Amino acid sequence: MDLIKENLLTILILLPTVGAIAAIAYKAVTKDDSSQRWFALIITTLNFLISLLMFTRGVPAVGGFEFEQNVPWIPAIHTNYHVGVDGLSFWLVLLTTFIMPLSVLCAWTAVEKKKTAFFAFLLLLESAMLGVFVTLDLLVFYLFFEASLIPMFFLIGVWGGKNRIYAAVKFFIFTAVGSLLMLVAIISLYYIYAGAVQGSGSFDFVEILAAMQSGKLVLGSQAGMLLFFAFALSFAIKVPIFPVHTWLPDAHTEAPTAGSVILAAILLKMGTYGLMRFNFAFFPDQARETAWIFITLAVIGIIYGALVAMVQPDWKRLIAYTSVAHMGFVVLGMFSFTELGMQGAVYQMLNHGVSTGALFILVGFAYERRHTREISEYGGLANVMPNYAAIFIITTMSSIGLPFLNGFVGEFLIMVGMFKSNILNVTASTNWNYVAAMAAGIGVILAAVYLLWLVQRVFFGKVTNPENKKLTDLNAREIGLMIPLLIAMVVMGVYPRPFLERTDRAIKTIEARVMKSAGGAVEKTELDTKALENR
Amino acid sequence: MSNFLLAQLTTPNADVTLILPEIVVALAGIVVMLYDSFFPKQKAVSGAIGMLGILISAVLLVLMWGDSYSGSAWSGMIAHDNLRLSFGLVFLMIAAMTILASTLWVDIEGVPTGEFHALLLFATFGMMMMAAGNDLVVIFLGLETSSIATYVMAGLRKGDLRSNESALKYFVLGSFASAFLLYGMALVYGATGTTNIPLIAASVGAAKFPALLLIGSAMMIVGFGFKVALAPFHVWTPDVYEGAPAPITGFMAAGPKAAAFSSFLRVFVLGFPLVAGAQAAGILHETWISLLAVLGIITILFGNVAAILQNNIKRMLAYSSIAHAGYATVGFVGAGLAKTATERNEAIAAVAFYLFVYAITNLGAFAIVSLLGQRNDRRADFEDYNGIGFKAPLLSFSLSVFMLSLLGMPLTAGFIGKVLVFRPALESGNVLLVALVVVAVIGSAISAYYYLRLLVVMFFRERAVDWTPPRVPSALMTAIAAAVVAVLYFGLFSNGLIRKFSNAAPKAADVRAER
């Protein structure tokens, strides 16, 4: 057990890859293409159980990490395999390991061709995503960040819908363009560090941050801004933030169900996570100065996403656009630079993962039965599939943000945070922070409109299309895989405290760094005692 | 009188051991040629002899690493440093891969095996001399040895018009470039009074005719630029690469290019350094750095944009090889601006590593292209690859790994290579170089389109006509497997090779020359 705990994160990253190789080897030997889903299910479940061991250790101290491992990878260029979790990454790791078995289950019968390759790619994707969330070395982070593209590219391209090739290539190129500039920024930072400490450079997040906090490494305003945008662009594309979001509807719509679920639930979080982890910590001044840009884009994204979602004739595309709106909320909360707003942002990342993931799974169920995503093809499903309708409506409510369900907590925190924020201008006549918060509020109303309208069109009324009359309700596997998601929605809606407590210290540190810092260190003692009191 | 006699009797400083690896390769070529004239029907023996020679030579090279040789052989004409040793290994690897990858082609098209293998070994010998040459004359001799052998190889498919065109074009334009290079060398000699590179480096600061030096170096940039296919001296590449048989194309895109880079690096980085307080040297240094940076920018943009438009995979790889010459230039220019000897060695090692990785990836890709292309490379369009992904999973997986490595995706050696060559350029902090790196990453992003296109046609499209995967001969399988393993292995564990490339033996040749 101790051995597992000491290498916990490494095991989490490697286990799915080993599983993928085993599945392919099994196929090569036996020519059996149907039992690999069991490989995938067992491995992902095992990974989830192992990830629960993270609860055995508490919240790390300010700037510290738990389950840390640091071994040289390529000493010739001073890059290390350095992993660890803190409050920021803790829940994202759990979210990943939690969603993966569910997405394996939802692909159980939906995938009809080349099953081995499909499940192998799912497993490889899990490795890459976990790597992104736990890596503390910039070069290795970049490595995982890029590596996650390849399995997703194949998932969309091979198993996707009609327009899959276009969607897959667009997805890949959009994301790759952004991240390549980040690579330049990472290498530049390496040399800036080398110059600052008069020694060899470093890719290590902790070392670079320490040099910045101690004032050894001071970025010039121009260099800082360039580096900030090089990082921010790649993350903004991943989130996606408004003008660079166009890959998302295509990728989401064309991807197979499991792919859409992972894309929505986990991959998008890599963007917001990256912004919080790297942009805020490394470039607090630039983050503060450019907050108005991101807030504006976030508000546009919220309203634009909602309006576009409203008019979609395609069920899956509609939900894809809700992601643009919801991720806009996350960005808004992050850039409010208030503790509440940022807590809400992290919480909303998890909520979005659970609710939108669930919505995509549910759409997948309908698609598997009817092989169409046109909303007009459906109608009155509540009569023939009552269980399905019930689950769908609960999930919708969670996505809209009904009190006592998870979405409410996140959106509420973000809006309160934005109201309390003073990041935007306050003029005699207008407090722009209020304006941003209220504009986001309109987004919540619009979300209710388009989702309830969708529910009405799909589930209520009479069954008009004869093909819908013989539809079967959800089977045991399908209900079984929805139950954990429903439980998560309720628990996170009713009792958010343990979730917020884990993230509390990390968020406070980031907030303090952005708001107080002109390179200054956080008063450790004050924060530590506060966190202790909270427990 | 007695003095005169004594001088004649003194043994010339010819220490054979210092160039033993090169000699072994040349000997292997001669043995192949002789053997072939007695047993013209043989097919495998000459390949085996060649492989044996390459292996022995590689072992000798590795043994030379780190030895503290300090003789004064060859009057300072032969270098003994990391540049030579690491590039030497790259060439030997390229030759071995080419022998393995060409077996199928040699078989089905009835190529005169012995001639081909002999030419290949002579070309390799020439390339090794280019890396080893510490004197402009030796470099030029090596260049010609390798070029002439390569001209012939490009035309080995005698009955094919495109192959003939390829050879002739390569020959005419290549000779033209050699002339430029030679004239440039002559002018540099005129300005500095020596052809020995360390001596040139020592005298650029006090060159008598700075203008001559500038013109000479510009002409050498044209000559070398042609050989490494930097835009705008690249126009010969697509036609030549498309016309030559696929295994030879793979060799040409990797070998002569890397060889030209090794001499290019030696002449410019080591021969035209920045000399403190010397205005002429300063102007020269600044000129060649900026010129190469600009050429690099043009090359990367042009190579990538042109590659997008290609429908033939060999042509696509040809244009992509232009772009890769541009990426290698990024490291090259970085080496030119290095402030210390260690930094310079690291940058040179980065270029060597990059070309090593590029060569092995490219040769692997061409091995598959030649396998799937059948006779005369008829099936080398993107359409011909439609839907083969799941029908020939191992081949398509290998080809995908190569494409991803050329693209520079993490977990492949191509990624490490890109990081390594970008590093020295960013380290210098020079604005032009930062722009060069930014262009390089934009170029990589553009290249995603055409490298992925191959993955798209293989895996995402359906096959319209029937297709059965070809039988893979064992030699070809060895080559492909070795390339895949190398690409993945050096993607994860590159430390040993980087270290090996960046600190080799002390620069005995430099020391000798300066004495």
Side-chain angles (χ1 to χ4, degrees):
Chain A
M1 204 55 147
D2 275 349
L3 195 69
I4 294 182
K5 265 199 222 167
E6 268 157 37
N7 302 299
L8 187 77
L9 300 177
T10 308
I11 293 175
L12 285 181
I13 294 174
L14 281 186
L15 189 61
T17 303
V18 173
I21 295 169
I24 293 170
Y26 182 77
K27 162 82 192 303
V29 174
T30 62
K31 310 282 176 214
D32 169 14
D33 197 30
S34 54
S35 40
Q36 276 73 14
R37 54 189 187 185
W38 286 103
F39 266 95
L41 184 66
I42 292 168
I43 297 279
T44 48
T45 314
L46 197 62
N47 229 25
F48 175 60
L49 294 176
I50 295 175
S51 69
L52 289 178
L53 286 176
M54 290 199 304
F55 281 107
T56 54
R57 297 201 191 154
V59 185
V62 171
F65 293 88
E66 283 294 351
F67 301 103
E68 212 172 339
Q69 270 182 307
N70 195 352
V71 280
W73 175 42
I74 309 181
I77 54 174
H78 305 109
T79 177
N80 304 314
Y81 170 78
H82 185 186
V83 291
V85 279
D86 66 350
L88 190 56
S89 47
F90 184 90
W91 290 111
L92 290 170
V93 172
L94 268 183
L95 177 73
T96 310
T97 56
F98 170 69
I99 293 287
M100 283 313 291
L102 302 178
S103 54
V104 169
L105 273 176
C106 84
W108 205 249
T109 55
V111 176
E112 281 154 4
K113 54 171 189 182
K114 290 138 196 163
K115 293 171 201 147
T116 309
F118 182 87
F119 289 107
F121 279 127
L122 277 192
L123 290 169
L124 291 175
L125 189 55
E126 178 169 16
S127 285
M129 293 186 304
L130 287 170
V132 167
F133 290 132
V134 300
T135 308
L136 297 172
D137 183 280
L138 292 175
L139 199 66
V140 183
F141 169 81
Y142 176 83
L143 186 146
F144 282 118
F145 195 79
E146 284 275 277
S148 69
L149 289 180
I150 298 166
M152 192 41 104
F153 174 68
F154 275 98
L155 287 178
I156 299 174
V158 179
W159 293 273
K162 236 182 274 155
N163 224 346
R164 58 179 194 274
I165 294 178
Y166 171 74
V169 173
K170 194 172 179 184
F171 163 74
F172 194 102
I173 291 186
F174 258 73
T175 356
V177 168
S179 40
L180 277 164
L181 282 177
M182 180 165 74
L183 180 63
V184 179
I186 288 173
I187 301 176
S188 305
L189 209 50
Y190 174 95
Y191 284 113
I192 292 172
Y193 177 88
V197 301
Q198 302 285 319
S200 64
S202 172
F203 288 116
D204 196 287
F205 170 77
V206 181
E207 280 176 18
I208 296 176
L209 189 61
M212 285 180 172
Q213 279 174 331
S214 66
K216 255 193 228 162
L217 200 175
V218 183
L219 287 171
S221 65
Q222 198 190 357
M225 205 47 108
L226 284 173
L227 291 175
F228 173 83
F229 275 112
F231 274 91
L233 179 66
S234 66
F235 297 137
I237 291 173
K238 203 89 185 179
V239 171
I241 293 176
F242 165 66
V244 286
H245 68 280
T246 58
W247 63 268
L248 177 128
D250 290 314
H252 264 325
T253 317
E254 299 304 329
T257 304
S260 314
V261 173
I262 296 171
L263 202 55
I266 310 163
L267 272 178
L268 305 188
K269 308 316 177 281
M270 286 163 34
T272 39
Y273 166 80
L275 280 173
M276 285 188 107
R277 169 75 80 212
F278 300 109
N279 279 63
F280 290 1
F282 284 161
F283 318 107
D285 300 331
Q286 288 79 3
R288 229 178 24 248
E289 284 162 28
T290 57
W292 65 273
I293 301 175
F294 286 89
I295 290 177
T296 315
L297 293 178
V299 169
I300 295 176
I302 293 170
I303 295 180
Y304 166 86
L307 290 178
V308 178
M310 212 178 284
V311 295
Q312 290 304 317
D314 183 316
W315 196 351
K316 210 171 171 188
R317 216 175 167 83
L318 188 154
I319 297 179
Y321 273 104
T322 69
S323 277
V324 177
H326 279 134
M327 294 310 282
F329 260 104
V330 177
V331 174
L332 185 75
M334 281 161 43
F335 278 90
S336 73
F337 296 123
T338 52
E339 196 196 329
L340 285 177
M342 293 170 92
Q343 280 273 23
V346 175
Y347 205 59
Q348 191 65 5
M349 287 191 219
L350 308 178
N351 292 335
H352 178 257
V354 172
S355 326
T356 311
L359 281 176
F360 274 117
I361 294 178
L362 289 165
V363 175
F365 291 161
Y367 183 77
E368 234 183 294
R369 288 170 170 70
R370 282 291 320 278
H371 291 281
T372 177
R373 297 185 308 250
E374 291 289 316
I375 297 173
S376 56
E377 286 281 316
Y378 296 92
L381 285 194
N383 300 318
V384 279
M385 304 172 72
N387 291 340
Y388 179 60
I391 294 176
F392 193 93
I393 290 167
I394 298 174
T395 312
T396 311
M397 294 307 158
S398 136
S399 187
I400 293 173
L402 193 79
F404 292 112
L405 287 173
N406 55 353
F408 173 73
V409 183
E411 284 176 0
F412 182 77
L413 284 173
I414 289 172
M415 291 214 280
V416 173
M418 197 62 230
F419 266 112
K420 287 176 72 173
S421 167
N422 53 5
I423 191 79
L424 297 181
N425 273 340
V426 182
T427 59
S429 58
T430 334
N431 182 338
W432 286 99
N433 298 295
Y434 289 3
V435 174
M438 282 187 286
I442 297 173
V444 181
I445 300 168
L446 288 175
V449 174
Y450 61 75
L451 279 173
L452 292 178
W453 191 31
L454 169 74
V455 167
Q456 187 240 321
R457 282 182 290 170
V458 171
F459 290 100
F460 298 125
K462 285 204 180 103
V463 184
T464 46
N465 192 333
E467 281 192 54
N468 288 335
K469 286 196 176 131
K470 49 183 192 299
L471 288 181
T472 49
D473 206 348
L474 300 186
N475 61 27
R477 169 182 62 87
E478 290 167 334
I479 294 182
L481 92 94
M482 288 310 294
I483 285 177
L485 288 165
L486 292 176
I487 293 175
M489 288 174 208
V490 176
V491 170
M492 290 173 75
V494 177
Y495 191 56
R497 200 186 140 98
F499 292 88
L500 297 176
E501 261 174 19
R502 281 264 166 194
T503 53
D504 187 56
R505 196 176 299 170
I507 297 291
K508 274 185 186 148
T509 318
I510 298 170
E511 193 234 329
R513 174 144 171 80
V514 174
M515 293 314 289
K516 287 183 204 166
S517 83
V522 179
E523 297 88 310
K524 278 195 177 183
T525 45
E526 179 208 347
L527 273 171
D528 271 3
T529 46
K530 255 195 201 163
L532 282 175
E533 281 163 20
N534 279 347
R535 298 174 108 201
Chain B
M1 188 66 185
S2 65
N3 272 348
F4 173 74
L5 265 181
L6 260 180
Q8 290 295 300
L9 282 173
T10 318
T11 351
N13 285 327
D15 189 336
V16 175
T17 52
L18 195 61
I19 55 164
L20 210 49
E22 283 80 1
I23 290 177
V24 169
V25 173
L27 270 181
I30 293 168
V31 171
V32 165
M33 210 156 62
L34 287 175
Y35 184 87
D36 186 60
S37 57
F38 287 108
F39 305 96
K41 294 227 171 84
Q42 61 86 22
K43 278 198 168 138
V45 180
S46 61
I49 299 173
M51 289 298 276
L52 189 69
I54 290 167
L55 193 71
I56 295 174
S57 172
V59 170
L60 289 172
L61 263 189
V62 173
L63 287 180
M64 282 167 81
W65 232 296
D67 72 3
S68 51
Y69 186 90
S70 59
S72 61
W74 308 109
S75 316
M77 286 169 92
I78 297 296
H80 186 52
D81 55 9
N82 63 336
L83 175 57
R84 172 199 176 184
L85 295 178
S86 40
F87 272 97
L89 266 193
V90 175
F91 304 146
L92 290 172
M93 185 276 295
I94 291 171
M97 285 283 290
T98 309
I99 290 183
L100 288 176
S102 60
T103 45
L104 182 70
W105 165 68
V106 166
D107 225 31
I108 59 173
E109 293 188 22
V111 176
T113 324
E115 277 173 38
F116 166 56
H117 286 149
L119 285 169
L120 182 67
L121 290 167
F122 291 140
T124 312
F125 165 74
M127 298 191 307
M128 290 175 80
M129 289 315 286
M130 285 170 78
N134 206 24
D135 189 291
L136 294 179
V137 176
V138 177
I139 287 178
F140 184 75
L141 290 177
L143 179 86
E144 283 302 281
T145 313
S146 84
S147 297
I148 291 170
T150 321
Y151 300 147
V152 182
M153 283 200 286
L156 268 180
R157 193 182 269 155
K158 287 174 204 146
D160 183 14
L161 275 180
R162 284 185 309 164
S163 182
N164 288 335
E165 182 202 337
S166 163
L168 199 62
K169 215 170 208 174
Y170 193 24
F171 172 64
V172 172
L173 292 174
S175 312
F176 197 54
S178 296
F180 262 96
L181 185 65
L182 195 57
Y183 199 22
M185 286 174 171
L187 292 180
V188 170
Y189 173 72
T192 58
T194 176
T195 52
N196 183 293
I197 291 167
L199 289 180
I200 291 176
S203 56
V204 279
K208 291 190 196 84
F209 310 103
L212 270 192
L213 203 54
L214 273 180
I215 299 170
S217 67
M219 292 187 119
M220 282 164 79
I221 287 185
V222 175
F224 281 126
F226 173 88
K227 296 288 174 190
V228 301
L230 285 181
F233 314 117
H234 67 279
V235 276
W236 57 280
T237 15
D239 290 341
V240 171
Y241 284 8
E242 194 191 357
I248 304 300
T249 313
F251 173 77
M252 286 196 296
K257 178 174 294 210
F261 259 115
S262 70
S263 325
F264 204 175
L265 270 169
R266 188 181 297 285
V267 174
F268 280 80
V269 175
L270 302 178
F272 300 142
L274 188 61
V275 183
Q279 202 195 358
I283 294 172
L284 176 64
H285 184 256
E286 202 186 315
T287 314
W288 77 256
I289 294 272
S290 343
L291 200 58
L292 269 184
V294 172
L295 289 183
I297 290 177
I298 302 173
T299 305
I300 290 168
L301 288 178
F302 178 82
N304 281 315
V305 172
I308 283 189
L309 306 172
Q310 305 308 319
N311 281 320
N312 180 290
I313 291 177
K314 272 167 81 183
R315 249 184 129 77
M316 181 274 275
L317 287 172
Y319 278 106
S320 101
S321 90
I322 297 176
H324 281 277
Y327 302 138
T329 310
V330 178
F332 181 171
V333 184
L337 279 178
K339 289 168 205 88
T340 64
T342 328
E343 275 178 24
R344 193 183 63 202
N345 282 348
E346 278 179 3
I348 291 175
V351 178
F353 184 89
Y354 189 86
L355 290 168
F356 173 79
V357 170
Y358 172 71
I360 201 157
T361 317
N362 212 38
L363 285 164
F366 271 107
I368 295 180
V369 170
S370 97
L371 172 68
L372 297 179
Q374 302 172 351
R375 221 182 149 84
N376 287 346
D377 298 327
R378 278 172 305 177
R379 304 256 175 272
D381 284 343
F382 274 98
E383 295 170 10
D384 298 318
Y385 286 67
N386 267 356
I388 64 170
F390 290 97
K391 294 206 162 115
L394 279 179
L395 278 180
S396 337
F397 168 76
S398 313
L399 197 49
S400 308
V401 169
F402 299 146
M403 290 303 127
L404 292 174
S405 175
L406 289 175
L407 173 53
M409 285 306 277
L411 300 176
T412 64
F415 171 67
I416 307 287
K418 282 228 169 92
V419 171
L420 284 176
V421 291
F422 291 167
R423 272 163 44 101
L426 288 174
E427 183 173 18
S428 70
N430 180 310
V431 180
L432 190 60
L433 263 65
V434 174
L436 178 60
V437 175
V438 171
V439 169
V441 296
I442 292 172
S444 304
I446 300 174
S447 73
Y449 182 80
Y450 58 84
Y451 290 132
L452 290 182
R453 189 166 160 211
L454 200 50
L455 272 67
V456 166
V457 295
M458 285 198 298
F459 290 100
F460 299 175
R461 288 201 200 285
E462 299 295 332
R463 183 107 196 141
V465 287
D466 258 3
W467 186 78
T468 39
R471 205 184 56 80
V472 190
S474 56
L476 208 58
M477 184 119 70
T478 317
I480 296 170
V484 171
V485 169
V487 166
L488 295 176
Y489 180 82
F490 290 119
L492 285 173
F493 311 103
S494 48
N495 195 48
L497 195 63
I498 300 172
R499 282 251 195 267
K500 191 107 195 146
F501 276 11
S502 51
N503 31 357
K507 299 185 177 301
D510 291 15
V511 178
R512 281 196 300 279
E514 277 154 24
R515 249 181 234 148

